[in-house]
């Protein structure tokens, strides 16, 4: 198209229409009037995205096999067997080895929380229907997925399903500014709400303005009514900054999420919630604190013998045999020695 006055006016008009649709969509929330169009777009473009991903990904079929068998808690053993078979097929390629590790972590996480999952691959970043922090996965309604299902990976909470097509689905990431999830703090059970802030830490408002929170405290999902959109016990992240409460009714802290949203690959959609709240069982184990180096006090006797706290002679400063006379006749000295 040539750069004419008419073409410029047309471009301005299209941009204005696009922003108008975005505004209507945001204000509409869950009942957005363009939700039908979004669903239609997912149905139309989903197979294309899935086909492109399948053409360039040699392990898609293997992961699809895992996805198809993960609906029940009693199928964890089957998943582990299939994962072992997948390892043998993948060979020694670095990327494939990394994906095997991702699958291992996902299976261990779902087993710890007793989540029934469907495994899926991230096949596209962002969505053609908007400008949110979203990804497209290669599983949809044909795989039993529904809107408002929790999405996890081997590290923790990824997001929730927002749009479902026959073979693909869109996941709103926890880093999106429109994303909010109820949280519970480890051990103290203080409740709050985490909100995405893009590539910055999550903002969490605790209901208790006097809640005792410190750097390093960990949070999990509190859970939703009937487990939608969030199941309980999924790791969210660690506190990295605490703002003074200042007498407010709520208290805001900032949490670094466990999930690296820019490196998503293998995810699991929770299709069956745990029978019981796993509480803090799914959180990673804390590293052990380093043991202090013991301090040993030794004494140098007049003859040069080095004597430890138990009265045992462990050496001689003069290099003479223990118990021999000291030619200098020096007095004893106490020495602290780090071992």
């Amino acid at each position: 198209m040539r750069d004419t006055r008419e073409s410029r006016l047309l471009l301005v008009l299209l941009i204005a229409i696009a922003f108008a649709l975005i505004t209507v969509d945001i204000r509409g929330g869950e009942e957005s009037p363009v939700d039908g169009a979004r669903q239609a777009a997912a149905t139309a473009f989903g197979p294309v995205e899935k086909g492109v991903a399948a053409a360039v990904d040699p392990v898609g079929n293997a992961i699809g096999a895992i996805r198809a068998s993960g609906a029940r808690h009693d199928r964890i053993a089957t998943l582990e067997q299939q994962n072992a078979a997948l390892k043998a097929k993948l060979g020694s390629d670095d990327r494939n080895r990394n994906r095997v590790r991702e699958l291992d972590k996902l299976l261990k996480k779902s087993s710890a929380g007793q989540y029934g999952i469907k495994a899926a691959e991230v096949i596209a970043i962002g969505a053609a229907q908007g400008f949110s922090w979203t990804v497209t996965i290669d599983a949809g309604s044909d795989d039993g997925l529904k809107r408002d299902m929790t999405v996890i990976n081997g590290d923790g909470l990824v997001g929730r399903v927002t749009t479902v097509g026959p073979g693909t689905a869109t996941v709103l990431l926890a880093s999106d500014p429109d994303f909010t999830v109820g949280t519970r703090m480890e051990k103290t059970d203080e409740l709050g709400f985490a909100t995405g802030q893009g590539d910055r830490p999550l903002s969490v408002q605790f209901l208790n303005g006097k809640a005792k929170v410190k750097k390093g405290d960990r949070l999990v999902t509190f859970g939703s009514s009937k487990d939608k959109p969030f199941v309980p016990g999924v790791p969210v992240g660690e506190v990295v900054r605490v703002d003074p409460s200042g007498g407010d009714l709520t208290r805001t802290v900032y949490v670094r999420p466990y999930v690296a949203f820019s490196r998503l690959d293998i995810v699991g959609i929770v299709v069956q919630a745990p029978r019981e709240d796993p509480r803090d069982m799914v959180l990673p184990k804390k590293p052990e604190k380093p043991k202090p180096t013991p301090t040993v006090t030794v004494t140098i006797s007049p003859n040069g013998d080095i004597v430890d706290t138990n009265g045992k002679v462990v050496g001689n400063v003069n290099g003479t045999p223990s118990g021999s006379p000291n030619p200098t006749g020096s007095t004893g000295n106490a020495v602290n020695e780090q071992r």
Side-chain angles (χ1 to χ4, degrees), residues 77-239:
T78 302
L79 285 171
E80 292 174 344
Q81 292 174 0
Q82 291 176 335
N83 189 34
L86 175 62
K87 290 181 183 180
K89 293 180 181 179
L90 292 179
S92 59
D93 180 78
D94 288 343
R95 180 173 183 269
N96 287 338
R97 284 202 301 268
N98 182 66
R99 304 190 79 198
V100 168
R101 286 193 293 268
E102 289 294 315
L103 281 169
D104 276 336
K105 289 167 60 178
L106 176 60
L107 291 174
K108 289 176 182 177
K109 193 73 68 178
S110 62
S111 178
Q114 289 297 292
Y115 305 123
I117 64 169
K118 297 278 187 180
E121 291 181 81
V122 173
I123 58 175
I125 300 174
Q129 305 93 333
F131 298 95
S132 303
W133 287 68
T134 60
V135 295
T136 302
I137 57 176
D138 67 343
S141 57
D142 292 345
D143 303 290
L145 269 59
K146 297 179 181 179
R147 186 173 180 175
D148 285 338
M149 284 184 168
T150 308
V151 183
I152 66 174
N153 71 357
D155 296 315
L157 180 67
V158 172
R160 63 181 176 88
V161 176
T162 56
T163 305
V164 181
T168 61
T170 301
V171 177
L172 183 69
L173 302 180
S175 55
D176 189 275
D178 288 335
F179 185 96
T180 300
V181 58
T183 62
R184 180 179 58 77
M185 195 160 71
E186 181 185 15
K187 295 181 180 179
T188 66
D189 292 340
E190 291 285 357
L191 302 181
F193 293 94
T195 302
Q197 295 195 114
D199 55 2
R200 294 179 295 165
L202 304 176
S203 171
V204 180
Q205 281 196 326
F206 283 99
L207 301 183
N208 180 8
K210 298 181 180 180
K212 294 182 179 180
V213 189
K214 64 182 183 300
K215 185 177 180 180
D217 284 344
R218 306 188 297 179
L219 287 78
V220 299
T221 56
F222 177 67
S224 307
S225 175
K226 298 181 180 180
D227 300 309
K228 287 189 176 182
F230 302 109
V231 295
V234 180
V236 176
E238 292 186 4
V239 175

Side-chain angles (χ1 to χ4, degrees), residues 9-68:
L9 290 174
L10 178 60
L11 177 60
V12 171
L13 179 61
L14 291 174
I15 293 174
I17 293 174
F19 275 104
L21 289 174
I22 293 171
T23 302
V24 170
D25 188 24
I26 292 174
R27 291 183 177 179
E30 296 292 338
E31 303 297 330
S32 171
V34 300
D35 192 53
R38 182 185 293 108
Q39 181 75 26
T43 303
F45 294 110
V48 177
E49 293 176 326
K50 190 172 182 179
V52 171
V56 300
D57 189 352
V59 297
N61 292 334
I63 294 174
I66 293 179
R67 176 195 314 130

Side-chain angles (χ1 to χ4, degrees), residues 258-287:
Y258 287 119
V259 173
F261 299 107
S262 61
R263 299 197 301 270
L264 290 173
D265 189 5
I266 309 299
V267 298
I269 302 86
V270 181
V271 296
Q272 186 170 358
R275 294 184 179 92
E276 296 180 357
D277 186 345
R279 307 291 292 180
D280 304 329
M281 294 176 58
V282 193
L283 282 167
K285 292 183 179 179
K286 288 187 175 181

Side-chain angles (χ1 to χ4, degrees), residues 209-210 243-252:
K210 298 181 180 180
D243 280 356
S245 59
D248 295 336
L249 296 178
T250 60
R251 189 171 194 179
T252 301

